[in-house]
Amino acid sequence: MEGIKRREHAEIFVLGKRVDDVTAHPFLKPSVKSFKATFDAAFEEDTRGLARAYSPFVGEEVNRFVHIHQGPEDLVAKVKLLRKLSHKTGTCFQRCVGWDALNTLYVISGKIAEREGRKEYLNRFIEYLKYVQKNDLALAGAMTDVKGVRTLRPSEQPNRDAYVHVVEEKAGGIVVRGAKANITGVAVVDEVVVMPTRAMTERDAEYAVSFAIPLDTPGVKVVVGRQINDGRRLEGGEIDGLPYMFNHEGLLILEDVFVPWERVFLYKEWRWAAQFVEVFSNYHRQGYAGCKSGLGDVIIGTAHGLARQLGIADKPHVQEKLTEMVFLNEAIYSAGLAASWEARRLLKNGGWWVDPMYANVTKHLVARFPYEVAKLSHDIAGGLLGTAPSEADLKNPELRPLLEKYLQGVPEFTAEERLRMLRLLENTSLSVAYLVESVHGAGSPQAQRISIQRVYDFQRAEAIARRLAGLKAEASGDARAEPRRPAEAEK
Ligand code: SF4
């Protein structure tokens, strides 16, 4: 927290005003708390084992959020850690994008070294990685460009800056310009890792760049986005004022920012942009299994608690709904574990990556099931979820005895307990972290469908069917092989 307190250059804006200290600002404080949970996890008894890992790069234990996966067990530990952290925060804790960016850079710079014999990116990246690991830095990952006209490539845009690109090459580094949207946790990090957002052609070369900059770099501006109920953060209080943790996303604007060569990890490498995006997005799609199922647990638990407060927890239709919520939630988690256990190496000595089919299935489930879980929790909670009086009403001496009398269900629970659970349910089940982020984070649903279609081998599936149907084998299909095709990154 000390590290992000005062920044000379980074200009961070919230509701139109510049923020000097993000750790003290009421709008950002819940995000800082949530981000901080990723550091604390390495010291707390229940998460210590999961949140630490041995790094061969620095020869000591590091926080898992800056670790390069060394095998399937590490990818499994990632999903488990994320689920636990959702229990501690009740929101997105914002540090996984930077972590996935580190692993992607390791894979891509390693592949360039292995395939093309060019080691400069890998060497630069390893030096940067050691610095990040030794200092346990908080990183944001910035992939999504603002994109301008969606049907045009970066080099065809009427606004040349619609994608982040190189505007000047200098002896000591490059100058970049552009903006990245929806950047998770961006106002409360030490550094940002910028990545390309799509496949590129030769004409887009100046847009095929990846680099890391401290947030406190001249020319960097962050405009923090609004969220549902965000005005409540300014209220204070213990029930309505969002006293617990929250996340944020922001627009990252880079206005002619200088990046020294030692922090440039991809420079005009347009041939590698598509694989970069594929490797990164699959890592993040797998991660959603953990954080979203953990949020699901919070919502299921809140719905169960509210059902008890109303005296309906043992009613068959409520039991049925709770069971359905568990099924949907565990399906998400199971797919992420499958993606992790079926991990594969993309480099000769490591570069462990998730199973691309199961990672995409995970994220596709996440794009659908949380809305269903949320709806079922609202069904159980009752209409008061959307109409409950405020904390200020409860604190009014004239109203309090009346609210205590009329908002109570089963006598062993107080009206305040009910109000607290309702607010928690409102702030988790209707949050950006559980709903909008579930649809669009790590790629919108259509991106997963395209990946699933690419990786599934329909010819082989048909060959399996033809054999069973007693039909002659076709040259295009082998009935003995799995109906799977390699992802681009595996070729
Ligand atoms: Fe991590 Fe989940 Fe937030 Fe992504 S959405 S940064 S995986 S907590």
Side-chain angles (χ1 to χ4, degrees):
M1 286 179 69
E2 287 304 314
I4 58 170
K5 245 181 182 155
R6 307 247 172 267
R7 292 168 167 138
E8 201 188 332
H9 301 294
E11 298 175 44
I12 296 160
F13 290 87
V14 169
L15 300 174
K17 296 208 175 76
R18 186 152 169 196
V19 177
D20 288 328
D21 180 2
V22 293
T23 65
H25 194 280
F27 204 89
L28 289 171
K29 254 191 335 201
S31 277
V32 175
K33 270 198 213 169
S34 169
F35 217 114
K36 183 174 171 292
T38 67
F39 293 86
D40 294 341
F43 299 92
E44 288 167 356
E45 211 176 315
D46 59 334
T47 41
R48 203 187 141 85
L50 281 175
R52 288 169 177 242
Y54 175 80
S55 166
F57 301 97
V58 290
E60 58 188 66
E61 267 191 344
V62 295
N63 186 304
R64 189 173 289 284
F65 278 93
V66 289
H67 180 56
I68 299 296
H69 310 300
Q70 300 295 308
E73 293 80 8
D74 274 345
L75 286 152
V76 171
K78 174 187 175 189
V79 173
K80 293 189 172 179
L81 174 62
L82 267 48
R83 189 165 183 167
K84 290 285 285 181
L85 272 163
S86 281
H87 298 171
K88 288 173 188 268
T89 62
T91 186
C92 159
F93 27 90
Q94 309 154 98
R95 201 175 172 192
C96 328
V97 193
W99 181 14
D100 292 337
L102 289 179
N103 276 278
T104 304
L105 280 169
Y106 180 62
V107 167
I108 298 297
S109 62
K111 283 186 111 181
I112 294 175
E114 280 183 4
R115 301 281 165 88
E116 300 178 5
R118 293 188 291 137
K119 294 203 171 131
E120 73 271 25
Y121 295 127
L122 180 63
N123 293 341
R124 277 180 205 166
F125 172 69
I126 297 292
E127 284 313 304
Y128 179 68
L129 177 72
K130 287 183 190 165
Y131 167 69
V132 169
Q133 290 190 334
K134 284 198 167 144
N135 293 287
D136 197 6
L137 293 185
L139 304 180
M143 178 168 268
T144 309
D145 286 278
V146 290
K147 293 181 186 166
V149 184
R150 299 302 194 270
T151 50
L152 300 177
R153 309 197 69 83
S155 55
E156 298 165 350
Q157 295 285 336
N159 170 11
R160 270 197 71 197
D161 303 334
Y163 286 77
V164 169
H165 64 126
V166 185
V167 290
E168 198 185 338
E169 189 180 314
K170 294 185 167 180
I174 56 174
V175 178
V176 294
R177 190 188 303 150
K180 295 276 186 181
N182 319 326
I183 307 308
T184 302
V186 65
V188 301
V189 293
D190 297 302
E191 303 226 348
V192 186
V193 180
V194 174
M195 303 171 273
T197 199
R198 53 166 294 160
M200 308 264 179
T201 64
E202 192 169 1
R203 292 177 62 194
D204 306 315
E206 71 191 58
Y207 298 88
V209 282
S210 178
F211 52 87
I213 43 166
L215 200 71
D216 188 14
T217 301
V220 175
K221 266 193 178 62
V222 171
V223 185
V224 175
R226 295 214 71 167
Q227 287 186 347
I228 297 148
N229 289 348
D230 57 12
R232 292 197 194 158
R233 296 175 207 188
L234 307 173
E235 286 178 18
E238 299 165 55
I239 302 175
D240 286 5
L242 295 176
Y244 29 80
M245 306 181 193
F246 242 73
N247 72 322
H248 76 274
E249 273 88 20
L251 180 68
L252 174 75
I253 300 171
L254 307 173
E255 288 187 308
D256 296 346
V257 172
F258 177 73
V259 188
W261 284 117
E262 60 268 25
R263 281 167 163 270
V264 178
F265 308 123
L266 211 63
Y267 182 63
K268 298 190 175 178
E269 301 289 348
W270 58 273
R271 286 189 187 81
W272 288 93
Q275 273 200 44
F276 196 113
V277 177
E278 184 186 51
V279 172
F280 170 83
S281 54
N282 280 274
Y283 275 134
H284 209 66
R285 286 169 196 174
Q286 167 243 14
Y288 270 39
C291 69
K292 300 308 177 208
S293 65
L295 274 181
D297 291 329
V298 175
I299 291 163
I300 292 166
T302 314
H304 186 262
L306 283 164
R308 285 179 62 225
Q309 292 182 6
L310 297 173
I312 56 168
D314 58 351
K315 295 291 170 225
H317 72 97
V318 173
Q319 288 280 315
E320 185 55 36
K321 283 166 192 152
L322 287 166
T323 308
E324 175 71 4
M325 289 162 79
V326 173
F327 156 67
L328 295 166
N329 201 44
E330 296 297 344
I332 290 169
Y333 188 60
S334 312
L337 287 183
S340 312
W341 282 121
E342 293 291 310
R344 67 261 350 257
R345 260 193 330 228
L346 294 182
L347 300 175
K348 286 191 191 114
N349 290 316
W352 284 92
W353 192 49
V354 294
D355 178 292
M357 174 63 87
Y358 302 142
N360 279 284
V361 168
T362 304
K363 173 64 219 315
H364 212 46
L365 295 177
V366 167
R368 292 156 74 163
F369 288 1
Y371 279 82
E372 197 57 34
V373 172
K375 188 187 89 177
L376 289 164
S377 75
H378 300 171
D379 188 351
I380 293 169
L384 203 63
L385 177 68
T387 63
S390 71
E391 179 178 354
D393 294 317
L394 193 68
K395 284 186 175 156
N396 179 325
E398 187 186 339
L399 294 176
R400 186 167 182 114
L402 293 169
L403 295 179
E404 279 175 344
K405 179 176 162 189
Y406 290 116
L407 295 187
Q408 191 177 43
V410 172
E412 65 187 281
F413 300 103
T414 64
E416 180 174 331
E417 283 174 298
R418 189 167 171 210
L419 205 52
R420 280 181 182 269
M421 290 297 251
L422 285 167
R423 287 286 178 243
L424 176 63
L425 187 60
E426 187 188 4
N427 288 324
T428 48
S429 69
L430 290 166
S431 66
V432 170
Y434 194 59
L435 298 183
V436 185
E437 201 174 83
S438 289
V439 178
H440 290 293
S444 306
Q446 189 57 22
Q448 289 109 58
R449 294 186 92 84
I450 291 169
S451 302
I452 288 168
Q453 198 184 7
R454 274 191 195 143
V455 175
Y456 194 79
D457 191 327
F458 289 95
Q459 263 83 37
R460 283 185 182 167
E462 190 183 329
I464 293 166
R466 285 178 69 88
R467 185 172 62 178
L468 283 175
L471 298 175
K472 221 168 105 218
E474 290 177 327
S476 59
D478 177 358
R480 292 160 306 175
E482 292 295 312
R484 289 282 287 271
R485 282 196 288 247
E488 281 306 308
E490 295 174 288
K491 286 176 188 164

